[in-house]
Amino acid sequence: PVDGPPPPTPEEVLAVFPWAHAHLSAGRMYVHAALDDLPPEAARDKATFERYGVKSNVGLPLAVGGAAPIGALTFNTTREPRRWTGAIVSRLQLVAQIFANALARKVADTEARLRLRQLAHLNRVATMGAFATALAHELNQPLGAILRNTEAAELLLQRPEPDLDELRAIVADIKRDDRRAGGVIDRLRSMLQQRNVEVRPAELPALMNEVVAIVFADASARGIHIVCDVPSDLPAVHCDRVHVQQVL
């Protein structure tokens, strides 16, 4: 009834309908033309049905191919008891099977997408393990340059009249190397993140040069010389940068 109590939450169903829940979970349907037809062990269910004004009901498990039920579908009358004939029950079973098939496809699709996302994330993590040497190489260069520029600035500041133009150039170099180190960290961190695909415009030459920079140290250690010859006038493409970098 519209003015009746609110329906039970999914967490409350087992407590207020223990007999019906056990029946449907086991893949068994039930049909009752009146609440008095319920067995004595369904006393808790009967009290709940009466509280909601239910006069008669049908409960159908949602299962596909003999598998365990993935849900349930119930039909109730609230005005008066009803005799559920075999023809009516057969039609309701057909409706339940349609629901079961649709729900099973939805569950399978959701699980498949989740497994693919987890697999992609694990693949990125495994790939990053191979980039540990490249990361150290990439960071050592800008950090080393920052240290050398800092030492040079200290020497200049010890002079009675420091060369301000040279100090400004040193500060500019430090800022550039700092941005480079931050870019390395951000780029490699993005490859570790578990996230959805982000399609954005990207310049292929720059993207490929980034990949070459990442693997340069590991390739050099193996005696491999990488040549990246990409036309500079290629149009921008819409893609997920991290995924394309993973492929490359």
Side-chain angles (χ1 to χ4, degrees):
V2 175
D3 57 350
T9 65
E11 294 76 17
E12 296 172 340
V13 168
L14 179 58
V16 298
F17 295 112
W19 179 86
H21 186 277
H23 247 63
L24 296 172
S25 297
R28 299 190 299 268
M29 65 175 290
Y30 60 81
V31 180
H32 298 107
L35 295 184
D36 290 338
D37 295 340
L38 288 166
E41 58 268 25
R44 183 72 178 88
D45 301 65
K46 181 179 179 181
T48 304
F49 283 132
E50 289 175 342
R51 184 160 63 94
Y52 284 103
V54 173
K55 305 300 183 182
S56 63
N57 55 32
V58 175
L60 302 166
L62 300 180
V64 178
I70 55 177
L73 187 63
T74 62
F75 298 89
N76 308 297
T77 63
T78 56
R79 292 183 178 179
E80 58 185 21
R82 176 171 184 171
R83 178 175 171 270
W84 305 90
T85 64
I88 293 176
V89 171
S90 295
R91 293 173 186 172
L92 296 182
Q93 286 178 314
L94 178 59
V95 173
Q97 193 60 54
I98 293 173
F99 271 87
N101 292 338
L103 184 58
R105 286 195 299 269
K106 181 65 176 178
V107 170
D109 183 56
T110 301
E111 291 178 348
R113 287 200 302 269
L114 177 60
R115 285 194 296 268
L116 285 175
R117 288 187 60 189
Q118 292 173 338
L119 181 61
H121 175 62
L122 291 175
N123 180 58
R124 287 195 294 271
V125 173
T127 303
M128 287 306 302
F131 287 164
T133 302
L135 176 60
H137 172 80
E138 284 263 354
L139 289 179
N140 280 338
Q141 287 186 342
L143 293 179
I146 290 173
L147 178 60
R148 290 189 295 273
N149 278 316
T150 303
E151 292 172 344
E154 289 178 343
L155 292 175
L156 285 175
L157 290 173
Q158 292 175 5
R159 298 177 182 178
E161 295 183 3
D163 187 334
L164 296 182
D165 290 336
E166 190 169 352
L167 282 173
R168 292 189 186 96
I170 289 176
V171 172
D173 288 342
I174 291 175
K175 291 175 64 177
R176 185 189 66 248
D177 289 322
D178 176 77
R179 286 193 295 268
R180 179 183 172 190
V184 170
I185 294 173
D186 289 341
R187 186 168 68 247
L188 296 179
R189 180 190 295 158
S190 68
M191 299 181 74
L192 275 174
Q193 291 176 346
Q194 184 171 358
R195 56 173 179 70
N196 294 325
V197 174
E198 296 180 0
V199 178
R200 296 179 179 177
E203 300 291 340
L204 280 180
L207 189 149
M208 295 185 68
N209 286 328
E210 289 176 1
V211 176
V212 172
I214 292 174
V215 302
F216 177 79
D218 191 48
S220 297
R222 299 170 187 270
I224 300 172
H225 179 60
I226 301 178
V227 177
C228 185
D229 185 10
V230 186
S232 59
D233 58 349
L234 289 177
V237 296
H238 284 75
C239 65
D240 184 289
R241 293 180 63 88
V242 173
H243 284 189
V244 174
Q245 286 178 330
Q246 284 281 279
V247 172
L248 294 175

